[in-house]
Amino acid sequence: MSADETSFSSADPTSKIIVAIDGPAGAGKSTIARHLARHFGLLNLETGAMYRAFALKALRAALPLDESRGLESLAAETAIRLESGEEENHVLLDGEDVTGLIRNQTVTDAASRVSVLPAIRAWMVRLQQQMGAGGGVVMEGRDIGTVVFPQAEVKIFLDAAPEVRGMRRYDQMGPEPAQQPDEVIRDLRARDERDRNRADSPLKPAPDAVLLDTTHLTLEEVVAAAEAIVAARLVRLAN
Ligand code: DC
């Protein structure tokens, strides 16, 4: 533990702080959010999982993914909850734990499509604001520092070159990858394109976000840098 971190105790701003982590797919947001949550005793809320769970419901209902009206009606009768787990959030879709069903390519692609719709975003943002209202959270996504919690005490924008992000994704696919590296990178670029260019809440760093480019950093280095950013902010808040 560094000298910086020892200068605040558990009775201080940590319990109320909101840490917003944004960035493109494969930048390492989930890993870093999980580390920060553990290290600082915060609740880890992964908002991408919420879009994914809703996309799964839309796919199951065989609804067109670009028709806002139908999806809005579906959203009106959908309950999505995130629960903290050891390794990742558990996502409850209408009470069903769908955590293991939302990481495949079909749902990934569908989540990217439904997330461009303003009505769906507005609904998600409301849910996320309710979940994080009490503070004491690390919330990770694309628009947390810009839209969901523009007042967040800490904002980190994680980024890395697309090839590096694609290869990290590929390496996570295990011994029998479903795709070749070039396909993974191509899909990731397509998602980037949609996330960055959508009219409503495009992916971009908040003006006051700390940019962390992880292209040439190891996981340990990124974790250390992110911890230092949060610790420094906590020290400033405590003084
Ligand atoms: O972080 P992820 O890959 O699990 O996110 C899935 C999709 O959801 C992604 O294509 C972008 C979208 N998303 C978003 O638009 N806003 C968020 N706050 C989180 C995710």
Side-chain angles (χ1 to χ4, degrees), residues 21-26 29-30 46-52 102-103 107-116 121 124-125 128 139-144 148 169 191-192 194-195 198 200-201 203:
I21 311 237
D22 292 301
K29 300 185 299 293
S30 305
E46 193 194 342
T47 60
M50 300 171 71
Y51 286 93
R52 287 171 181 272
I102 57 170
R103 298 282 158 196
V107 174
T108 299
D109 189 59
S112 170
R113 290 174 189 280
V114 298
S115 71
V116 305
R121 299 203 69 79
M124 286 287 180
V125 167
Q128 291 154 10
M139 194 174 276
E140 174 249 297
R142 303 291 190 289
D143 57 346
I144 310 306
V148 181
R169 275 284 147 94
R191 271 216 293 156
D192 277 3
R194 254 198 306 269
D195 290 348
R198 64 180 173 228
D200 186 8
S201 329
L203 170 68

Side-chain angles (χ1 to χ4, degrees), residues 7-227:
S7 50
F8 58 82
S9 71
S10 57
D12 59 12
T14 322
S15 55
K16 291 282 168 221
I17 198 173
I18 295 177
V19 179
I21 311 237
D22 292 301
K29 300 185 299 293
S30 305
T31 311
I32 298 307
R34 197 163 53 237
H35 276 274
L36 289 179
R38 268 201 209 126
H39 187 83
F40 292 101
L42 303 167
L43 190 63
N44 178 19
L45 298 172
E46 193 194 342
T47 60
M50 300 171 71
Y51 286 93
R52 287 171 181 272
F54 180 66
L56 175 66
K57 183 158 175 175
L59 287 169
R60 283 174 169 175
L63 286 180
L65 299 175
D66 52 358
E67 274 184 25
S68 194
R69 280 286 170 77
L71 292 169
E72 279 172 61
S73 306
L74 191 71
E77 52 191 48
T78 300
I80 295 178
R81 279 189 23 230
L82 290 180
E83 285 184 352
S84 271
E86 256 300 291
E87 278 308 308
E88 58 178 351
N89 283 168
H90 281 263
V91 195
L92 301 183
L93 173 63
D94 301 321
E96 176 193 355
D97 188 340
V98 295
T99 313
L101 306 177
I102 57 170
R103 298 282 158 196
N104 60 63
Q105 194 51 43
T106 309
V107 174
T108 299
D109 189 59
S112 170
R113 290 174 189 280
V114 298
S115 71
V116 305
L117 301 169
I120 299 305
R121 299 203 69 79
W123 167 58
M124 286 287 180
V125 167
R126 266 198 315 278
L127 282 179
Q128 291 154 10
Q129 287 172 335
Q130 284 164 10
M131 291 191 309
V137 298
V138 178
M139 194 174 276
E140 174 249 297
R142 303 291 190 289
D143 57 346
I144 310 306
T146 49
V147 177
V148 181
F149 286 115
Q151 78 282 22
E153 284 80 4
V154 182
K155 298 181 187 178
I156 299 175
F157 192 90
L158 278 182
D159 207 348
E163 297 75 17
V164 171
R165 292 188 281 118
M167 283 315 290
R168 286 179 189 160
R169 275 284 147 94
Y170 178 75
D171 290 341
Q172 285 165 356
M173 287 179 171
E176 290 179 27
Q179 290 180 299
Q180 293 302 307
D182 56 335
E183 292 173 315
V184 178
I185 294 170
R186 187 202 55 208
D187 286 352
L188 192 126
R189 282 187 192 276
R191 271 216 293 156
D192 277 3
E193 184 80 7
R194 254 198 306 269
D195 290 348
R196 290 188 205 267
N197 295 321
R198 64 180 173 228
D200 186 8
S201 329
L203 170 68
K204 61 169 188 229
D208 51 348
V210 180
L211 304 186
L212 196 49
D213 187 326
T214 72
T215 305
H216 302 293
L217 300 182
T218 63
L219 174 62
E220 291 72 26
E221 289 169 332
V222 183
V223 168
E227 282 179 9

